[in-house]
């Protein structure tokens, strides 16, 4: 609904503002490491798309803050970057990428698409992760869903 989308947008901006002003620090929540922990240290010049790598890094803190704040598109971006590295901009961690995919589907956003469920199969399936990693991702997703206010 329009009201739910407005509420989500307001919450995203509120979370981003709190992080930007230093009023809230994600380090206070051990299950959400700081955004900077995910930024790769390799030069973007080594990427197939150096400009894309630099753009991703430049916007990462805001994208991550919005994802933690419940933002659907930001959660999708974080999941993609953790799963693929986003042109070497972000440290690839397929387990955490999979966990974010579960959060996206579990949150039941108004805009959640069938493609989100397909992405769980793609990035969390047997060709991407073994069973132990899939379980780790599901466990992490359960913790994160509680932190972002998703009831199961």
């Amino acid at each position: 609904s329009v009201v739910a989308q407005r509420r989500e947008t307001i919450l995203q901006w509120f979370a981003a503002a709190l992080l930007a002003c230093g009023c809230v620090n994600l380090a206070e929540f051990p299950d959400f490491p700081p955004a900077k922990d995910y930024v790769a240290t390799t030069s973007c010049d080594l990427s197939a798309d150096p400009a894309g790598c630099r753009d991703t890094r430049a916007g990462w803190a805001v994208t991550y803050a919005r994802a933690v704040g419940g933002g659907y598109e930001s959660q999708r971006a974080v999941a993609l970057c953790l799963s693929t590295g986003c042109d070497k901009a972000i440290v690839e961690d397929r387990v955490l990428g999979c966990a974010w995919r579960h959060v996206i589907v579990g949150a039941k956003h108004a805009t959640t698409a069938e493609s989100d469920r397909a992405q769980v199969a793609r990035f969390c399936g047997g060709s991407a992760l073994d069973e132990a990693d899939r379980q780790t991702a599901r466990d992490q997703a359960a913790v994160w869903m509680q932190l972002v206010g998703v009831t199961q």
Side-chain angles (χ1 to χ4, degrees), residues 43-59 86-89:
S43 171
C44 282
D45 292 333
L46 300 175
S47 169
D49 181 6
C53 175
R54 283 189 282 279
D55 288 346
T56 299
R57 286 184 184 174
C86 279
D87 296 308
K88 300 185 188 285

Side-chain angles (χ1 to χ4, degrees), residues 23-88:
C23 303
V24 174
N25 182 350
L26 290 179
E28 296 172 13
F29 303 101
D31 293 306
F32 281 116
K36 66 180 175 56
D37 287 3
Y38 296 112
V39 177
T41 58
T42 57
S43 171
C44 282
D45 292 333
L46 300 175
S47 169
D49 181 6
C53 175
R54 283 189 282 279
D55 288 346
T56 299
R57 286 184 184 174
W60 180 252
V62 171
T63 300
Y64 184 74
R66 288 180 180 164
V68 170
Y72 172 68
E73 290 300 331
S74 294
Q75 288 176 347
R76 292 180 84 190
V78 167
L80 179 66
C81 286
L82 288 172
S83 295
T84 67
C86 279
D87 296 308
K88 300 185 188 285

Side-chain angles (χ1 to χ4, degrees), residues 79-80 83-84 94-95 97-98 101 118-125 128-129:
L80 179 66
S83 295
T84 67
R94 293 179 182 187
V95 173
C98 173
R101 301 268 177 210
Q119 295 297 341
V120 169
R122 177 179 176 199
F123 289 103
C124 304
L129 301 173

